Amino acid sequence: MPQELHSVTPAAAPADGTGWWRDAVIYQVYVRSFADSDGDGIGDLRGIRDRLPHLAGLGVDALWITPFYASPQADGGYDVADYRAVDPLFGDLGDADDLVRAAHELGLRVIVDIVPNHTSDQHAWFRAALPGGPARERYIFRPGRGEDGSLPPNDWESVFGGPAWTRIEDGSWYLHLFAPEQPDLNWENPEVHDEFDSVLRFWLDLGIDGFRIDVAHGMIKAAGLPDVGSRDQARLIGGKELPFFDQDGVHEIYRSWRKLLDSYDGERIGVAEAWAHTPERLARYVRSDELHQAFNFAFLKCPWDAAELRRVIDSSLTAAGAVGAPTTWVLSNHDVVRHTTRHGSADRARAAALLMLALPGSAYLYQGEELGLPEVTDLPDELRQDPSFFRGEGQEGLRDGCRVPIPWTQDGPSHGFGPAGSWLPQPASWAALSVEAQSGDPRSTLELYRSALVLRRKLDGLGDGEMEWLDAPDGVLSFARPGLVCTLNTTPDDIQLPVPGRLLLSSSDLEFAGGDVRIPGESCIWWAI
């Protein structure tokens, strides 16, 4: 039976009526932890290629692959020494080419990471900069403060903890907003612009379909590099204006990159990993002449609360819609605690997934979330590799727990991850969460995701488009898409409601009586209307 319409959330209007990215489901592959083809315990490009049928069968539209470039691996490959070479850990350029071709044959697009805010300290440019001279203009070097220059040039802190400056032998300091092995580039230097235009073309010519831009908000710093004036600066990211993030000058870069992307056939895209202190600031990255998508971290960080979820959904759709862009939704990634653990239960995680996939726009899945994997919280300290763990501050050293290699089979030395062990140990309980164990089980999280993605492709009302909020009890969210109603019960208690339509998919078992349905706590349901 129909429900009364309550309030309308404006939908993002396409700028040109096209764009595969506007409703795409994109699967993040953390290359070290997806599949190992050669038995060294580390995932690689051939491993990804071999497991592409899983992604095609899951029903995603594209995969985003974390950095596989030549790197000392001080920060999981986000410290790039050569942007045009594949690190031998992961294969070679031939493997990258094979992967892209195999993905395209299965109807999957490929997005790769690009890391333009900083390089590795082993990059040829930085090695040339250390002795001094014009090569230093490619990075941000400054004299120190104090009578002897022994104090950092300002009070900026690294996202990983500690000062954002390191002093070298001649007394100068260089900026690194992340680890000391990741010196920040100087995007005021035209050489940096030219180099990255060349790097983008190199990978576009190989056939990739777009770039996820790491620290997309960081390349331009405020003039004069002013002090922040407070400590614990990593905790302010996304909540306060900061002189080293989200400066207006980044948008000139992305307008140039958009022209470059548009010069290639096949709708190649740019995706911003950008933190901004308001939804309106974030929307600036996806104006019609800039990037195509920006990650919606407000949704990822939102607590399990109906009122807060509705507020974030409304503000996200409104801000993106004002510039004609699609909204993105994401629950987990390689930098945060997996949402099964973060939200507190597998039931909440399953319900959150159905909520996300019913919202207008594009969705990102992080490898293993389709299996309901929890965070691994008991890794031995001696096995951890996250630089923020060793620096003791910043991102609290929790990122290794979401990067444990995923299980493919119930047996084997690494549950099918590879022919030997894995670089981080997998819990024994993950055998029951493996792809093999869950496939064909209609009650499994894997089959829930597969069913949801089949319906998302099949139903015209899902993906990009309109939504309208419906009246619902406290703690319950209900909204209509064309031909569909989504009902989310965030409370721990069962609720009884009139049946709104024909059942399509539910994250938990339902009970029907007459014209009513009893919806369990912490569950989400899709109805055809």
Side-chain angles (χ1 to χ4, degrees), residues 27-28 34 338 340 366-374 406-407 445:
Y27 186 101
Q28 181 190 355
F34 190 67
R338 285 187 176 275
T340 297
Y366 177 52
Q367 64 177 46
E369 77 169 75
E370 78 276 21
L371 305 177
L373 296 184
I406 65 174
T445 297

Side-chain angles (χ1 to χ4, degrees), residues 157-173:
E157 296 172 355
S158 163
V159 174
F160 292 158
W165 296 90
T166 289
R167 198 178 194 189
I168 61 174
E169 289 185 359
D170 70 1
S172 299
W173 298 75

Side-chain angles (χ1 to χ4, degrees), residues 121-141:
D121 63 349
Q122 300 303 306
H123 192 285
W125 274 14
F126 192 71
R127 293 202 305 269
L130 288 175
R136 281 198 181 176
E137 296 302 316
R138 298 165 174 163
Y139 294 88
I140 301 175
F141 282 83

Side-chain angles (χ1 to χ4, degrees), residues 130-349:
L130 288 175
R136 281 198 181 176
E137 296 302 316
R138 298 165 174 163
Y139 294 88
I140 301 175
F141 282 83
R142 293 290 186 276
R145 294 194 289 192
E147 291 185 7
D148 58 355
S150 63
L151 298 176
N154 63 22
D155 70 354
W156 293 2
E157 296 172 355
S158 163
V159 174
F160 292 158
W165 296 90
T166 289
R167 198 178 194 189
I168 61 174
E169 289 185 359
D170 70 1
S172 299
W173 298 75
Y174 70 87
L175 178 68
H176 52 86
L177 291 178
F178 294 87
E181 297 88 350
Q182 296 168 291
D184 278 47
L185 286 160
N186 174 21
W187 276 85
E188 305 291 344
N189 187 327
E191 285 186 85
V192 177
H193 290 257
D194 292 344
E195 170 65 3
F196 274 88
D197 282 355
S198 174
V199 168
L200 295 181
R201 290 187 183 279
F202 179 88
W203 292 104
L204 290 167
D205 290 342
L206 187 124
I208 67 98
D209 300 286
F211 300 94
R212 177 264 192 187
I213 303 162
D214 185 61
V215 196
H217 52 295
M219 287 112 85
I220 299 296
K221 281 67 173 177
L225 310 184
D227 285 343
V228 174
S230 61
R231 292 184 55 79
D232 295 325
Q233 294 166 16
R235 300 182 186 278
L236 304 178
I237 298 170
K240 179 182 177 180
E241 185 175 352
L242 295 168
F244 48 77
F245 281 161
D246 191 35
Q247 297 297 302
D248 289 344
V250 298
H251 299 287
E252 179 182 347
I253 298 170
Y254 298 133
R255 283 190 286 272
S256 172
W257 284 14
R258 179 59 179 263
K259 291 177 182 177
L260 191 158
L261 290 166
D262 286 348
S263 71
Y264 282 78
D265 295 333
E267 295 185 314
R268 318 292 181 97
I269 71 168
V271 182
E273 185 224 13
W275 289 87
H277 64 283
T278 68
E280 292 74 22
R281 292 287 302 183
L282 183 63
R284 290 162 59 89
Y285 290 83
V286 289
R287 290 176 289 191
S288 61
D289 62 344
E290 294 192 36
L291 300 174
H292 300 76
Q293 292 184 338
F295 287 148
N296 185 353
F297 292 118
F299 183 74
L300 182 150
K301 294 174 66 177
C302 187
W304 185 254
D305 177 84
E308 275 299 294
L309 283 165
R310 177 165 173 166
R311 182 190 66 78
V312 168
I313 291 167
D314 277 341
S315 62
S316 301
L317 289 169
T318 299
V323 295
T327 309
T328 65
W329 313 101
V330 61
L331 291 167
S332 287
N333 65 35
H334 66 294
D335 284 333
V336 300
V337 172
R338 285 187 176 275
H339 69 272
T340 297
T341 300
R342 197 175 69 248
H343 280 322
S345 73
D347 288 342
R348 286 183 178 181

Side-chain angles (χ1 to χ4, degrees), residues 37-52:
S37 71
D38 58 12
D40 65 356
I42 297 174
D44 48 48
L45 297 182
R46 280 185 290 169
I48 298 172
R49 184 193 64 198
D50 292 343
R51 293 293 188 179
L52 287 176

Side-chain angles (χ1 to χ4, degrees), residues 29-48 50-51 89-90 367 371 373 403-426 430-431 434-436:
V29 171
Y30 189 70
V31 62
R32 295 175 67 93
S33 301
F34 190 67
D36 169 24
S37 71
D38 58 12
D40 65 356
I42 297 174
D44 48 48
L45 297 182
R46 280 185 290 169
I48 298 172
D50 292 343
R51 293 293 188 179
L89 273 174
F90 308 129
Q367 64 177 46
L371 305 177
L373 296 184
R403 299 175 177 183
V404 174
I406 65 174
W408 294 93
T409 60
Q410 299 181 70
D411 301 312
S414 58
H415 297 297
F417 168 67
S422 59
W423 68 283
L424 288 173
Q426 303 154 308
W430 279 19
S434 65
V435 174
E436 179 183 56

